[in-house]
Amino acid sequence: MIARNGTLHTCNALATIGTAHEAFCSSSDVNLMAATPPSSWQLFLSTFCRNKGAVLGFIVLALMVIIAILAPAIAPHDPYELFTGQEQLPPAFLDGGNTMFWLGTDDAGEIHYLE
């Protein structure tokens, strides 16, 4: 490599002084001052992505946040509400189940997945 006027020329090891140098040098010059160091955000992101435990923890945390945001849609009923006449229903995917109670109800008529 030969530095000339602030640019970097990559040359073949067989290049000699004179016309051979021009023949073996690549035509693309790289400005030495053009390379910028990565930002602190880029350094953090690259370091974070290499840590498998941190990535797994972030995924678990993100899932918990999503479930918390969607909680009213997932469980729209009051957890203390009793559904009289709906006691001991099987889950919705079994015969006799009700789609309002995904996992069925208990002896008191409470929904299983809200307990």
Side-chain angles (χ1 to χ4, degrees):
M1 290 189 263
I2 300 173
R4 184 180 354 147
N5 299 332
T7 59
L8 181 67
H9 298 276
T10 56
C11 299
N12 192 334
L14 300 174
T16 59
I17 300 174
T19 58
H21 168 51
E22 300 300 327
F24 288 119
C25 285
S26 64
S27 61
S28 64
D29 293 339
V30 178
N31 191 347
L32 291 175
M33 299 300 166
T36 58
S39 69
S40 59
W41 177 249
Q42 290 171 331
L43 287 173
F44 165 75
L45 195 58
S46 67
T47 304
F48 181 81
C49 288
R50 278 186 262 137
N51 186 343
K52 293 177 183 173
V55 172
L56 179 65
F58 178 75
I59 291 171
V60 168
L61 180 66
L63 286 174
M64 292 175 90
V65 168
I66 290 169
I67 290 171
I69 290 170
L70 297 176
I74 295 171
H77 306 290
D78 180 17
Y80 301 110
E81 182 178 2
L82 297 177
F83 294 93
T84 56
Q86 304 289 332
E87 295 89 2
Q88 295 184 346
L89 284 178
F93 52 87
L94 296 177
D95 290 334
N98 187 341
T99 56
M100 185 174 167
F101 311 109
W102 295 351
L103 298 177
T105 58
D106 62 6
D107 295 336
E110 294 176 330
I111 303 172
H112 279 295
Y113 72 88
L114 294 180
E115 291 179 359

